[in-house]
Structure formats: structure tokens, C-alpha cells
Amino acid sequence: SDIDSCYATTVTSTMRGINLHQEDLQNICQDSPTCMVTIGAPRTVEFTVNKADNNNDVLTSFNTSDGSLIVVKPGCQSYFKHRVVSLKEDKTRSSTPGSTFILYFRKLSQPHFIPDDIPIAEASTGSSSQTIESVIVLAGDSHFTKLKPELLGKNKFKVLNIAAGGKKISETEKDLVNFHENNPARVDKLFLSIGTNDIRYCRNSVTHLSKYIKSLLSKARSLFPHACIFVQNLLPLPVNDQYVINNVNRFNRLLMKICEMHKVFFVDVLSKFLNAEGVRNPNLFNPSRYNCHLNRRGTGQLARIYIALIHRFKRFSFNP
């Protein structure tokens, strides 16, 4: 098979299920099958015909168990919608409390970008022309500041790091605008680290930060239309204030939803900085209990993640 991507989601016993929806026909190839694998608690998956006058009548349903596989044939996504039924609505009583992980294996459509082997643009300088340089950019807060561009690029890619300590989401957006205005290079990949300096001021909720995240991602897409965009979630912060700790989890959930909405990559690095008990690993951070910055070992851990994204996944020329 030519399947080349996997999308993962989860349904917990406290969720309503997954609402009736149709897959993204523009970005998912309709000439290849979609394979749906369920892991965990049993669930009911229902399919309906995608017609305005159908009243969402169920055409067929599947009672899944741990390890079930549903294969959706090529082209079917154009004609059908599907949903994962909530425990409350499941009339078959096949669903049981507990989490279910759902993996969608599928082929993405060919991106509508200019191939890498074709010059992107040429600036006329009389009788000669100059090809615009391609770069990889890191922007955002202090988690990126110790990452050395020359070590990340390994003399194969030009990496520019414009991150700075104390940056809020809105300030990172301004940094991207300034970079675009002063640098003619084409950005092939953009890595963002945001949120650490915003959530410490959120006493009641982090939901108001969604407008700043959406504004940042919209601006990034408009400034760098050819860039593959990756957004890192928050690292564990020092255990000095419970509301900050709770806000890390709230912000990461919010960020993941917005990344999915804007079709950019969500980079989950949080687990790499937890110990076996699932709490902040003190061996990866500077010794002060109030210090959120990585030490040398922690910086190396973060660097390895981005070296992999830059080099192993260099074929990525699209956003999910």
C-alpha cells in the first residue's frame, strides 16, 4: 500500500464520542484506502450517506474491540460520513467505559507546492538571476535559545534561530513579521515554541490565549506559504504553583486542537521531560525549583528531537 501517514485520536469514557464528520477530502488522497485501527475499550462506529436529505440515518455500523481494523475503500470518504457513538447514545450496548485510541492510516494528497528541485523564484539583476535561499527557522521563547543552529543543520540545512527569552505569543508573531520583512529567504520549515510566558498570568483559564495562537498560526501561514509548520507543546514547569501546573495541561490540550484546526504539526515533547513517575524530570532542568530552563542534558534531549524533524523528515513539504 502507499499509505504514508497516521492520525491518532482518543475517546475517553467522559467524552461524548466523536461527532458525525467527513474526512478532509482536499488533503487526503481518495485513490487509496483508509485503515482505521481501534485500541482499548470497545466502541460503536457508525457510517451515514453524505447527503443533505439523509437525516443522518445509519447505513451501517461496526462494534469494535481492542485491535479491530476497519478498511474504508478508495473513494468512500467522498460519499460517507462517520462517527464514534458516545456511551450514552450507544443502543447496541457494545461500548464500555474506558479509553479508546483510534489510529487512521492513510495517504495524503500531493501538496500543491513547488517541488524542491525547481528554483522557487528569481530576482532579476540585469542580465543575471539569483535563486532565493531556503532556510529553517526556530522562533519563540527561551526553550529554543540554547539550540545551536549549526549543530541542528549539520552543514546540510541552513538553520536560523530567532527565539528569545521572555517572548509571549503576540511578540513571537511580531518577530516573524520582522523576519519576513528583513530576510528574503524562503522558509521551508518553521518551528515554534510558545506559551510558557503567557500561562503564568492566567489565574482562571487559558482559553483566551486561543485568539493569540490562532492569530500567530494564521500569520505564519500567510508569511511563509511554503513552510511546513511545527508547534511544540509546553514542557513541564517547576512545581511552585498548582495553577501553573494545571495550566500546562490545559494549554497543551488547547494548542493541540488549534494545530489540528489550522493543519500544522503538533510536536508533543512533554513526555520526553518526565521521569518514570510521570512528573518533571529534575535531571533535565537547572537545579532551582523555580527555574523552567533546561540544563545541558535537557538541551541535548530537545536538540535530538529537532535534529530528527529536520533531517529524518526532510521529505515533508506539506502541513497535515
Side-chain angles (χ1 to χ4, degrees), residues 153-253:
K154 294 185 174 181
N155 297 320
K156 295 181 180 179
F157 300 95
K158 182 172 182 179
V159 179
L160 301 177
N161 190 345
I162 63 172
K167 292 289 184 178
K168 293 185 178 181
I169 299 171
S170 58
E171 294 172 323
T172 298
E173 181 176 336
K174 293 178 182 178
D175 288 344
L176 294 182
V177 173
N178 291 335
F179 176 85
H180 180 265
E181 291 176 350
N182 297 293
N183 197 315
R186 158 179 149 147
V187 176
D188 282 343
K189 289 181 181 178
L190 173 64
F191 297 103
L192 299 171
S193 175
I194 57 174
T196 300
N197 299 300
D198 297 88
I199 67 167
R200 64 180 62 181
Y201 303 104
C202 303
R203 282 288 174 181
N204 299 315
S205 174
V206 298
T207 54
H208 69 283
L209 296 177
S210 62
K211 64 180 180 180
Y212 299 107
I213 302 171
K214 292 175 182 178
S215 177
L216 170 64
L217 295 184
S218 296
K219 179 64 68 174
R221 293 294 290 269
S222 65
L223 293 176
F224 313 113
H226 300 289
C228 184
I229 301 173
F230 299 78
V231 187
Q232 170 183 299
N233 66 354
L234 289 180
L235 299 179
L237 295 181
V239 184
N240 62 326
D241 198 325
Q242 188 61 42
Y243 87 88
V244 172
I245 299 169
N246 292 336
N247 280 344
V248 169
N249 295 324
R250 295 189 187 108
F251 182 86
N252 284 343
R253 288 194 294 268

Side-chain angles (χ1 to χ4, degrees), residues 144 231-236 252 266-274 301-302 305-306 309:
F144 278 172
V231 187
Q232 170 183 299
N233 66 354
L234 289 180
L235 299 179
N252 284 343
F266 175 79
V267 184
D268 185 3
V269 299
L270 177 68
S271 61
K272 301 294 185 181
F273 296 88
L274 303 177
Q301 179 91 309
L302 188 64
I305 294 172
Y306 284 97
L309 290 174

